[in-house]
Amino acid sequence: MSDTRQAARYTEYHPRWYRPRVSTWWWLGRWPYLKFILREISSVFVAWFVVVLLQQIRALSRGPEAYAAFERWLQNPLIVLLNLITLFFVVFHAITWFNVAASAMAIRFHGKRVPDLLIVGTNYAAWAAISLVVAWFLVRS
Amino acid sequence: MAKQSNEPALWALFSAGGVMAAFVIPVHLFLLGLAFPLGWIPAPGYEYLHSFVRLPLTRLYLFVLCFLALFHWAHRFRYTLYDGLQIKHLNELIFFCCYGGAILGTVWAGYLLWNFR
């Protein structure tokens, strides 16, 4: 943040130099760029999930009728479609997050670096275990 | 205004939120948004969910989930706007809208969960 701000403030008084204009759509050209932007956009869907969750909590707090209305709202085809897209993005977020976990936390054990595959594998195993625990609490027929 | 010293704290929240979101949101969303409404898996009843959310531990979990996920969104979305759309001239506005939104959402979550009956 501060770097970009400083730079922006600095360039205001800097003589004009040659800087080719980068298109707003620069990220559409190549798959790695597009992947970067898709990963960043996943945050919007994380926020959408929080909105749905808070609606659920509010409906639960208001009583059975309010909750039945909330459940009907979830069955609206547009909401289902939006949630399907959201699922794609949150899974994309999870996969990209776990895959860089090895680079983000270089763990050493007895002076040797723990292999990347082990760290990433542990993350995926924890993901599966946590998902099962959450499902165990929520799936009650 | 945004001082240099804010950045590590905001990044830590982004990172914690990223971990939280990656581990629990896919399963929550799959069940709540698809499997239950479409009838793939029987949905939990009102009574069960209501008494479950009343437990203090559940409410603490839900609050932490909302809080971290929202700050994760705020940080990442801020940079999406900066880098993706290159609207750096609106830095201040974006900063306040993103973190302001996250703070509002967190307060909303705290209000709902604190007053949950």
Side-chain angles (χ1 to χ4, degrees), chain A residues 4 21-29 33-41, chain B residues 75-89 91 94:
Chain A
T4 55
R21 176 101 181 84
V22 179
S23 156
T24 303
W25 312 103
W26 60 269
W27 40 275
L28 279 176
Y33 297 165
L34 183 62
K35 203 174 128 189
F36 163 75
I37 287 292
L38 286 177
R39 207 186 66 205
E40 300 296 288
I41 293 286
Chain B
H75 192 84
R76 205 167 225 188
F77 192 58
R78 177 166 71 118
Y79 283 102
T80 310
L81 295 178
Y82 288 173
D83 302 331
L85 299 180
Q86 303 179 67
I87 37 183
K88 289 198 167 95
H89 56 286
N91 264 2
I94 293 171

Coordinates of all heavy atoms in Angstrom, one line a residue, chain A residues 4 21-29 33-41, chain B residues 75-89 91 94:
Chain A
T4 N 2.9 1.8 -3.2 CA 2.2 2.4 -4.4 C 1.8 3.8 -4.1 O 1.9 4.6 -5.0 CB 0.9 1.5 -4.7 OG1 0.1 1.5 -3.5 CG2 1.3 0.1 -5.1
R21 N 0.8 2.5 -22.1 CA -0.5 2.3 -21.4 C -0.9 0.8 -21.4 O -0.9 0.2 -22.4 CB -1.6 3.1 -22.1 CG -3.0 3.0 -21.6 CD -3.3 4.2 -20.7 NE -4.7 4.0 -20.2 CZ -4.9 3.3 -19.1 NH1 -4.0 2.7 -18.4 NH2 -6.2 3.2 -18.6
V22 N -1.1 0.3 -20.1 CA -1.5 -1.1 -20.0 C -3.0 -1.1 -20.1 O -3.7 -0.4 -19.4 CB -0.9 -1.7 -18.7 CG1 -1.4 -3.2 -18.6 CG2 0.6 -1.6 -18.7
S23 N -3.5 -2.0 -20.9 CA -5.0 -2.1 -21.0 C -5.6 -2.6 -19.7 O -5.0 -3.3 -18.9 CB -5.3 -3.1 -22.1 OG -6.6 -3.7 -21.9
T24 N -6.8 -2.1 -19.4 CA -7.5 -2.6 -18.2 C -7.7 -4.1 -18.3 O -7.9 -4.7 -17.2 CB -8.9 -1.9 -18.2 OG1 -8.7 -0.5 -18.2 CG2 -9.7 -2.2 -16.9
W25 N -7.7 -4.7 -19.5 CA -8.0 -6.1 -19.6 C -6.7 -6.9 -19.8 O -6.8 -8.0 -20.4 CB -9.0 -6.3 -20.8 CG -10.1 -5.4 -20.7 CD1 -10.3 -4.2 -21.4 CD2 -11.2 -5.4 -19.8 NE1 -11.5 -3.6 -21.0 CE2 -12.0 -4.3 -20.0 CE3 -11.6 -6.4 -18.8 CZ2 -13.2 -4.1 -19.3 CZ3 -12.7 -6.1 -18.0 CH2 -13.5 -5.0 -18.3
W26 N -5.6 -6.4 -19.3 CA -4.3 -7.1 -19.4 C -4.3 -8.5 -19.0 O -3.6 -9.3 -19.5 CB -3.3 -6.3 -18.7 CG -3.5 -6.2 -17.2 CD1 -4.2 -5.2 -16.5 CD2 -3.1 -7.2 -16.2 NE1 -4.2 -5.5 -15.2 CE2 -3.6 -6.7 -14.9 CE3 -2.4 -8.4 -16.2 CZ2 -3.4 -7.3 -13.7 CZ3 -2.2 -9.0 -15.0 CH2 -2.7 -8.5 -13.8
W27 N -5.2 -8.8 -18.1 CA -5.2 -10.2 -17.5 C -6.0 -11.2 -18.3 O -6.0 -12.4 -18.0 CB -5.8 -10.1 -16.1 CG -7.0 -9.2 -16.0 CD1 -7.0 -7.8 -15.8 CD2 -8.3 -9.6 -16.1 NE1 -8.2 -7.3 -15.8 CE2 -9.1 -8.4 -16.0 CE3 -9.0 -10.8 -16.4 CZ2 -10.5 -8.4 -16.1 CZ3 -10.4 -10.7 -16.4 CH2 -11.1 -9.5 -16.3
L28 N -6.6 -10.8 -19.4 CA -7.3 -11.7 -20.3 C -6.4 -12.5 -21.2 O -6.8 -13.5 -21.7 CB -8.4 -11.0 -21.0 CG -9.7 -10.7 -20.3 CD1 -10.7 -9.9 -21.1 CD2 -10.4 -12.0 -19.8
G29 N -5.3 -11.9 -21.5 CA -4.4 -12.4 -22.5 C -3.8 -13.8 -22.3 O -3.7 -14.6 -23.2
Y33 N -2.2 -15.1 -16.0 CA -2.7 -13.8 -15.6 C -4.2 -14.0 -15.2 O -4.7 -13.4 -14.2 CB -2.6 -12.8 -16.7 CG -1.2 -12.4 -17.1 CD1 -0.9 -11.8 -18.3 CD2 -0.1 -12.8 -16.3 CE1 0.4 -11.4 -18.7 CE2 1.2 -12.5 -16.7 CZ 1.4 -11.8 -17.8 OH 2.7 -11.5 -18.2
L34 N -4.9 -14.7 -16.1 CA -6.3 -14.9 -15.8 C -6.5 -15.7 -14.5 O -7.4 -15.4 -13.7 CB -7.0 -15.7 -17.0 CG -8.5 -15.9 -16.9 CD1 -9.2 -14.5 -16.9 CD2 -9.0 -16.7 -18.1
K35 N -5.7 -16.7 -14.3 CA -5.8 -17.5 -13.1 C -5.5 -16.6 -11.9 O -6.2 -16.7 -10.8 CB -4.7 -18.6 -13.2 CG -5.0 -19.8 -12.3 CD -3.9 -20.9 -12.5 CE -3.4 -21.3 -11.2 NZ -2.2 -22.2 -11.3
F36 N -4.6 -15.7 -12.0 CA -4.3 -14.7 -10.9 C -5.6 -13.9 -10.6 O -6.0 -13.8 -9.4 CB -3.2 -13.8 -11.3 CG -3.0 -12.6 -10.4 CD1 -2.5 -12.7 -9.1 CD2 -3.4 -11.3 -10.9 CE1 -2.4 -11.5 -8.3 CE2 -3.3 -10.2 -10.1 CZ -2.8 -10.3 -8.8
I37 N -6.2 -13.4 -11.6 CA -7.4 -12.5 -11.4 C -8.6 -13.4 -10.8 O -9.3 -13.0 -9.9 CB -7.8 -11.8 -12.6 CG1 -6.8 -10.6 -12.9 CG2 -9.2 -11.2 -12.6 CD1 -6.8 -9.5 -11.9
L38 N -8.7 -14.6 -11.4 CA -9.8 -15.5 -10.9 C -9.6 -15.8 -9.4 O -10.5 -15.8 -8.6 CB -9.8 -16.8 -11.7 CG -10.4 -16.7 -13.1 CD1 -10.3 -18.1 -13.7 CD2 -11.8 -16.2 -13.1
R39 N -8.3 -16.0 -9.0 CA -8.0 -16.3 -7.6 C -8.4 -15.1 -6.7 O -8.9 -15.2 -5.7 CB -6.5 -16.6 -7.5 CG -6.1 -17.5 -6.4 CD -4.6 -17.6 -6.3 NE -4.1 -16.3 -6.0 CZ -2.8 -15.9 -6.3 NH1 -2.0 -16.7 -7.0 NH2 -2.4 -14.7 -6.0
E40 N -8.0 -13.9 -7.3 CA -8.4 -12.7 -6.5 C -9.9 -12.5 -6.4 O -10.4 -12.1 -5.4 CB -7.7 -11.5 -7.2 CG -6.2 -11.5 -7.3 CD -5.5 -11.5 -5.9 OE1 -5.5 -10.5 -5.2 OE2 -5.0 -12.6 -5.5
I41 N -10.6 -12.7 -7.5 CA -12.0 -12.6 -7.6 C -12.7 -13.5 -6.6 O -13.8 -13.2 -6.1 CB -12.6 -12.8 -9.0 CG1 -12.0 -11.7 -9.9 CG2 -14.1 -12.8 -9.1 CD1 -12.7 -10.3 -9.8
Chain B
H75 N -9.1 -7.3 1.9 CA -7.7 -7.1 1.5 C -7.5 -7.6 0.1 O -6.9 -6.8 -0.7 CB -6.8 -8.0 2.5 CG -5.4 -7.7 2.3 ND1 -4.8 -6.6 3.0 CD2 -4.4 -8.2 1.6 CE1 -3.5 -6.6 2.7 NE2 -3.3 -7.6 1.8
R76 N -8.0 -8.7 -0.2 CA -7.8 -9.3 -1.6 C -8.5 -8.4 -2.6 O -8.0 -8.2 -3.7 CB -8.3 -10.7 -1.6 CG -7.6 -11.5 -2.7 CD -7.9 -13.0 -2.5 NE -6.6 -13.7 -2.7 CZ -6.5 -15.0 -2.8 NH1 -7.6 -15.7 -2.6 NH2 -5.4 -15.6 -3.0
F77 N -9.8 -8.0 -2.3 CA -10.6 -7.3 -3.3 C -9.9 -5.9 -3.5 O -10.0 -5.4 -4.6 CB -12.0 -7.1 -2.8 CG -12.9 -6.6 -3.8 CD1 -13.1 -7.3 -5.0 CD2 -13.7 -5.5 -3.6 CE1 -14.0 -6.8 -6.0 CE2 -14.6 -5.0 -4.6 CZ -14.7 -5.7 -5.8
R78 N -9.4 -5.3 -2.5 CA -8.7 -4.0 -2.6 C -7.6 -4.1 -3.6 O -7.5 -3.3 -4.5 CB -8.1 -3.6 -1.2 CG -7.3 -2.3 -1.2 CD -7.1 -1.8 0.1 NE -6.1 -2.7 0.9 CZ -4.9 -2.2 1.3 NH1 -4.6 -1.0 1.1 NH2 -4.1 -3.0 1.9
Y79 N -6.8 -5.2 -3.5 CA -5.7 -5.3 -4.5 C -6.2 -5.7 -5.9 O -5.5 -5.4 -6.9 CB -4.6 -6.3 -4.0 CG -3.8 -5.5 -3.0 CD1 -3.9 -5.7 -1.6 CD2 -2.9 -4.6 -3.4 CE1 -3.2 -5.0 -0.7 CE2 -2.1 -3.8 -2.4 CZ -2.3 -4.1 -1.1 OH -1.6 -3.4 -0.2
T80 N -7.3 -6.4 -5.9 CA -7.9 -6.7 -7.3 C -8.2 -5.5 -8.0 O -8.0 -5.3 -9.2 CB -9.2 -7.6 -7.1 OG1 -8.9 -8.7 -6.2 CG2 -9.6 -8.1 -8.4
L81 N -8.8 -4.5 -7.2 CA -9.2 -3.3 -7.8 C -8.0 -2.4 -8.2 O -7.9 -1.8 -9.3 CB -10.1 -2.4 -6.9 CG -11.5 -3.1 -6.6 CD1 -12.2 -2.2 -5.6 CD2 -12.3 -3.2 -7.9
Y82 N -7.0 -2.5 -7.4 CA -5.7 -1.7 -7.7 C -5.1 -2.3 -8.9 O -4.7 -1.5 -9.9 CB -4.7 -1.8 -6.5 CG -5.1 -1.1 -5.3 CD1 -4.3 -1.3 -4.1 CD2 -6.1 -0.2 -5.2 CE1 -4.5 -0.6 -2.9 CE2 -6.4 0.4 -4.0 CZ -5.6 0.2 -2.9 OH -5.9 0.9 -1.7
D83 N -4.8 -3.6 -8.9 CA -4.0 -4.2 -9.9 C -4.8 -4.6 -11.2 O -4.4 -4.4 -12.3 CB -3.3 -5.5 -9.4 CG -2.4 -5.2 -8.2 OD1 -2.0 -4.0 -8.1 OD2 -2.3 -6.1 -7.3
G84 N -6.0 -5.2 -10.9 CA -6.8 -5.7 -12.0 C -7.3 -4.6 -12.9 O -7.1 -4.6 -14.1
L85 N -8.0 -3.6 -12.2 CA -8.6 -2.6 -13.0 C -7.7 -1.3 -13.0 O -8.1 -0.3 -13.7 CB -10.0 -2.2 -12.4 CG -11.0 -3.4 -12.4 CD1 -12.3 -3.0 -11.8 CD2 -11.2 -3.9 -13.8
Q86 N -6.6 -1.3 -12.3 CA -5.7 -0.2 -12.3 C -6.3 1.1 -11.9 O -6.1 2.1 -12.6 CB -5.0 0.0 -13.7 CG -4.3 -1.3 -14.2 CD -3.7 -1.0 -15.6 OE1 -2.8 -0.2 -15.7 NE2 -4.3 -1.7 -16.5
I87 N -7.1 1.1 -10.9 CA -7.8 2.4 -10.5 C -7.0 2.8 -9.2 O -7.6 2.9 -8.2 CB -9.3 2.2 -10.3 CG1 -9.7 0.9 -9.7 CG2 -10.0 2.4 -11.6 CD1 -11.2 0.7 -9.6
K88 N -5.8 3.1 -9.4 CA -5.0 3.5 -8.2 C -5.3 4.9 -7.8 O -5.0 5.2 -6.6 CB -3.5 3.5 -8.6 CG -3.0 2.0 -8.8 CD -1.5 1.9 -8.7 CE -1.0 0.5 -8.5 NZ -0.6 -0.1 -9.7
H89 N -5.9 5.7 -8.6 CA -6.2 7.1 -8.2 C -7.3 7.1 -7.2 O -7.5 8.1 -6.5 CB -6.6 8.0 -9.4 CG -7.7 7.4 -10.2 ND1 -7.5 6.3 -11.1 CD2 -9.0 7.8 -10.3 CE1 -8.7 6.0 -11.6 NE2 -9.6 6.9 -11.2
N91 N -7.4 5.1 -4.5 CA -6.8 4.4 -3.4 C -7.6 4.6 -2.1 O -8.0 3.6 -1.5 CB -5.4 4.8 -3.2 CG -4.4 3.9 -3.9 OD1 -4.9 3.0 -4.6 ND2 -3.1 4.1 -3.7
I94 N -11.2 3.2 -2.2 CA -11.3 1.7 -2.2 C -10.9 1.2 -0.8 O -11.5 0.3 -0.3 CB -10.3 1.2 -3.2 CG1 -10.8 1.6 -4.6 CG2 -10.1 -0.3 -3.1 CD1 -9.8 1.2 -5.7

